[in-house]
Structure formats: structure tokens, C-alpha cells
Amino acid sequence: MPTPQPVTADDIAFARDEFLADRANTVAKNAVTSSGIRAAARVPEGVAANPLTFDIEVKQGKRCDQQRSGRCWMFASLNTMRYRIIQRYNLETFELSQAYPLFWDKLEKSNWFLENILDTLDEPLDGRLVAYLLTDPIGDGGQWDMFKSLVKKYGVCPKEAMPETACSRNTSEMDSYLTRYLRGAAKRLRESAAAGVSADDLAALKRTMVGEVYRLLVTCLGEPPARFDVRLRDRDHKLVLSDSFTPQEFFERVVDMNVDDYVSLISAPTADKPFGHVYTVSRLGNVVEDGGVRYLNLPIERLKQVAIAQLRDNLPVWFGCDVAQSYLRDEGIMDTAALNVDALFGFAVEDCMDRAERLDYGESLMTHAMVLEGVNLNADGEPTLWKVENSWGADHGRDGFDTLSDAWFDEYVYQVVVDKKYLTDDERATYETEEPRVLAPWDPMGSLACVR
């Protein structure tokens, strides 16, 4: 290993002389210190290449707003489901409750966490695995497979049946107290096991803990409805649905979506994840009896092809991405050509790593889930621009919509969820039958969509 070298006065003088030698550096300094990096690096011609008109497009209801919570994966999932209700009943708009799955996800994640603690009693407290489990036991983030598990077990309900509360609109306070409780619960379970408490007694103690989590959640979010009445009027104000449902009945009869037909495809071009194989992530999930996540890893072009096929059939597409990269958030533009940070600094910053290297070196992972609802195609039928429904309210972007360039898709989209009928026979057989390769809990493909 080479001897560590300090930064010397000569090093600083050299760097300063290099900076002052090019007037572009002074121009960049003045622009960035006045308005910030992205505003100074904004490329107007790139922005202009992001119109909000599309060759293929599905029409959604009014925008939803996750507010100060990390429920984007829930909003994206519910947006694909409410679209079906809006189309089936010819509604102006409709919204499913986002507080309802939040309640059950927190309860199930708490149970999942406590089961993982019981399963790792022999692991050292300061070891990487237990430390990882304790880092974020019940964060807001999630994956499509986790949402699928929730709706299969608990169903869904209209927003009116379980509206937002102060703690669902801003989850940080609830999450903080629940996390503290669960870490204390982990301590009690590990200490009880060390004292020789039997497995049956540990299970009974865990059950009591889950009951206390339930009490905390009801206090913060209200009690989930067991049954509710629904009356829907269409665009012409005609009553088209009037009935009483359980959440499970509402999902089965009104949403009418076979979630088991929908599969998660990822595109991770790293050496440890060969394309054409199935992967899961160790200890990632929420509903214990339903297992964890399941991905088929394919080249990015295949993710685009199946997404376009589903959009052609007038169905939106759930997708996960690293939203903060090359993003003009206020304008709702995800486009590598709309920002030129490297020109601003005069050397490679954004372009210093490729897609695989960013994953390997911790620079990129999936942070946000949204819905693809449109695409533009060139003369060869290849995508050029995608329409995105976000979950940050109508004031964001352009009436709540973003655009995503195809070049940005190549770099920062990591996952799409589509009906398995769009896969080839070989892809479908691999997804359904191959024993998944298990990734470490901290693998970037185990990241949860949770941007607030």
C-alpha cells in the first residue's frame, strides 16, 4: 500500500492556477453560486425536446399526492389499479386508499422484522447482517411483489373508506417511534434467548409485540375498515355501482386484476447477475407466508419492448428508477440531454461511470416507483420519449406528469412490472420455474422505492 500523501500548499496553488487559467471556470462559479448546479447546467434545447404529447397514451384520473411519505411504490401500484376502475365504470376520476395498505404494510413489515431477529439470534449484534436488519426495520419503501402480497391478503378500498391522517401524510414521526419500539423489541428477544427462554415462549413474546404494533398503528392511522359502502357515478352522473364490500371483495369484483399474472423484470448489467436468470433478495419482503421478491433479469431493451406492448393494450406500466439522476424536478424532466453537469465543471462527473459501474460502486439504485402512461416512437418504431405519472400532486411537473427520455431510460430505469403474457415462452418458463439466485440483503437490486 502506498504511503499516504497530504494535500500540500503546492497542490493547492497548482489547482488554483489551473482554475483561473480558463475563464469558463469563473463563469461556471458565478452561475452555480448564484443559482445552484442543476439550474446552471440546464440545457434549454434538451428541455425543449420533452413535449407532453404522445403516440401511445393511456388516460388517467386526477393526480394523487403521496405528500411527505415514502409510499411511491404503493401509489404507483394503486394508480395502475384505479385506472382499471376508471375505465370500467367510465369515471371522471377515482382514488384508492393509500392509508389502508400503509397500515397493513407496517404491521407485516414489523412481523417480518421480528421473525428475522428470531432467525438471527446466533448472529453477532455488531455483525453486518444484524446491523443491516436494525438499520431501517419498517421504512416506507417497498417493491411490487410486496404490494402484491398485501392486496392478495387484505384487498383494497376507496380512499373515502380509509382517508389520510396526519401520520400517513407525513410518516416520519410514526416511523421514528415504531422503529424505536422494534429495536427495543429486538433487544428483548435477543436477551430473552440468551437467558434460555424457550422457542415457544419467544414466539408468544413476539405475538405480544405484534399486538402492540397494531395498537400503535391504529392510534396513528385509524382502524382499517372491515366493510364499507360504495356508490360510484360515471361521467354522465349515472349511478354505476352501489354495493357493500369487504376490502377483499372490492379488490376481486371491482379492481378485477389477477396480480399473479404480473411479473417484475429488472435490468442489472453487472457481472454477478447474468441476464436471463431469476433472482431474489435475502430477507427482503413483508408478508411472511408469501415469501420474498422474485425478479427476472433482462437487457434494458427487453424492458422497453414489453412496456410498449402493455401500453399498446391500453394498460399503464409500474416501473422503478433512480429518479434523482439528471432530473429537473420542478419541470418534471428526466433527460440526460437536459443537464450538462460535466461541461459545467470541465471534467467527467456524471459520465465517470457507466450503468453497471454505478451499481457496483454504490452510486445508483432504485429510489422511486412511478407509472409509464405513454410513449413516442420514431419511424423505426423505437421509443424516444416516455410519459410518466408521478405521485407528487398536480402542482408537480406538468399537471403531475413527468417526461423521461429514452436515453435516461437506458441509464436509470431498473425495473418494470408487466403481464407475463408479454414475455417470450422461454422468458416466462425461466421466470416461473428457475430456482432464484439469492442476492445479499444489501445488494442494489434489494433497494426499496421510497423517495418522498
Side-chain angles (χ1 to χ4, degrees):
M1 182 175 179
T3 303
Q5 299 295 314
V7 176
T8 67
D10 287 343
D11 293 334
I12 295 170
F14 175 80
R16 184 174 186 274
D17 290 343
E18 286 283 297
F19 183 89
L20 295 175
D22 189 343
R23 62 179 294 274
N25 293 330
T26 300
V27 174
K29 176 198 68 175
N30 294 344
V32 171
T33 55
S34 298
S35 58
I37 294 173
R38 294 198 182 196
R42 181 181 181 273
V43 180
E45 295 82 4
V47 172
N50 283 265
L52 207 61
T53 53
F54 292 88
D55 300 327
I56 302 170
E57 185 175 11
V58 301
K59 294 295 185 181
Q60 182 63 282
K62 293 181 180 178
R63 305 291 76 68
C64 300
D65 191 352
Q66 69 186 78
Q67 300 187 61
R68 296 184 63 80
S69 72
R71 295 175 289 166
C72 59
W73 61 293
M74 291 182 177
F75 274 74
S77 301
L78 292 170
N79 281 339
T80 66
M81 294 176 182
R82 76 181 179 117
Y83 175 81
R84 293 167 176 265
I85 300 172
I86 291 170
Q87 297 302 307
R88 180 173 297 116
Y89 294 98
N90 191 31
L91 307 179
E92 186 71 31
T93 192
F94 181 78
E95 197 165 345
L96 290 161
S97 171
Q98 300 94 2
Y100 181 78
L102 176 68
F103 182 100
W104 294 118
D105 181 59
K106 295 296 184 187
L107 186 74
E108 292 286 353
K109 275 181 181 165
S110 297
N111 183 62
W112 180 280
F113 168 75
L114 295 173
E115 287 291 337
N116 273 307
I117 292 300
L118 290 174
D119 191 52
T120 56
L121 293 173
D122 293 334
E123 295 283 337
L125 181 61
D126 60 354
R128 185 174 188 182
L129 178 56
V130 176
Y132 179 85
L133 294 174
L134 292 170
T135 298
D136 190 15
I138 46 82
D140 286 356
Q143 276 282 349
W144 163 259
D145 284 348
M146 295 162 67
F147 191 83
K148 178 172 72 172
S149 297
L150 291 175
V151 297
K152 288 172 66 176
K153 186 171 182 176
Y154 297 106
V156 296
C157 66
K159 190 165 189 174
E160 292 80 4
M162 190 170 179
E164 297 285 278
T165 72
C167 291
S168 67
R169 288 190 293 266
N170 185 346
T171 54
S172 59
E173 194 174 45
M174 176 182 69
D175 285 352
S176 177
Y177 284 111
L178 182 52
T179 297
R180 181 167 180 156
Y181 172 81
L182 288 173
R183 287 171 177 156
K187 171 181 176 292
R188 289 160 57 198
L189 288 173
R190 287 178 64 90
E191 289 179 348
S192 297
V197 172
S198 70
D200 287 345
D201 287 341
L202 287 175
L205 179 57
K206 192 217 77 170
R207 185 180 184 187
T208 298
M209 292 169 173
V210 172
E212 291 173 342
V213 169
Y214 182 92
R215 187 189 314 173
L216 186 153
L217 292 173
V218 171
T219 302
C220 294
L221 301 172
E223 191 169 5
R227 178 169 288 275
F228 47 85
D229 295 331
V230 178
R231 290 174 178 81
L232 297 180
R233 291 187 179 274
D234 66 11
R235 296 173 187 267
D236 300 320
H237 306 292
K238 177 184 176 181
L239 188 66
V240 290
L241 181 65
S242 179
D243 209 341
S244 176
F245 299 89
T246 67
Q248 293 86 348
E249 290 168 347
F250 189 80
F251 179 71
E252 181 179 355
R253 292 168 50 190
V254 180
V255 177
D256 189 26
M257 177 182 181
N258 184 0
V259 290
D260 285 329
D261 284 342
Y262 285 78
V263 298
S264 287
L265 309 179
I266 61 170
S267 188
T270 51
D272 63 328
K273 301 179 190 70
F275 287 136
H277 293 285
V278 176
Y279 299 87
T280 189
V281 181
S282 176
R283 303 188 185 277
L284 176 61
N286 53 359
V287 179
V288 167
E289 66 270 27
D290 210 26
V293 300
R294 187 179 184 89
Y295 306 137
L296 176 61
N297 192 24
L298 296 175
I300 195 69
E301 293 303 320
R302 281 297 292 144
L303 270 62
K304 296 179 189 179
Q305 291 164 3
V306 295
I308 292 170
Q310 186 159 301
L311 286 169
R312 286 188 184 278
D313 285 344
N314 200 37
L315 287 172
V317 178
W318 190 106
F319 79 104
C321 65
D322 188 357
V323 72
Q325 306 276 7
S326 295
Y327 187 28
L328 292 170
R329 179 166 176 152
D330 291 342
E331 296 175 88
I333 293 174
M334 290 166 272
D335 189 345
T336 55
L339 283 169
N340 195 343
V341 173
D342 290 358
L344 187 69
F345 289 119
F347 55 90
V349 177
E350 288 202 323
D351 289 341
C352 67
M353 290 180 283
D354 63 23
R355 179 184 175 98
E357 291 163 346
R358 288 192 295 270
L359 290 171
D360 282 337
Y361 282 85
E363 167 54 25
S364 187
L365 43 68
M366 190 179 79
T367 59
H368 193 43
M370 297 177 283
V371 182
L372 295 172
E373 294 187 352
V375 64
N376 281 341
L377 306 173
N378 63 19
D380 296 323
E382 298 168 340
T384 59
L385 188 70
W386 302 78
K387 181 180 180 181
V388 175
E389 181 184 13
N390 210 329
S391 52
W392 293 342
D395 293 338
H396 164 76
R398 287 157 283 178
D399 189 33
F401 288 108
D402 291 349
T403 51
L404 184 161
S405 74
D406 196 60
W408 197 95
F409 198 118
D410 287 336
E411 299 298 330
Y412 301 116
V413 170
Y414 291 116
Q415 182 179 6
V416 300
V417 174
V418 296
D419 193 312
K420 60 186 177 183
K421 70 182 181 182
Y422 300 111
L423 303 182
T424 66
D425 290 344
D426 287 344
E427 290 168 347
R428 190 161 49 250
T430 298
Y431 179 86
E432 293 176 343
T433 64
E434 183 177 273
E435 184 68 23
R437 305 178 184 200
V438 181
L439 304 176
W442 39 84
D443 189 275
M445 290 300 106
S447 65
L448 300 180
C450 64
V451 167
R452 297 172 184 259

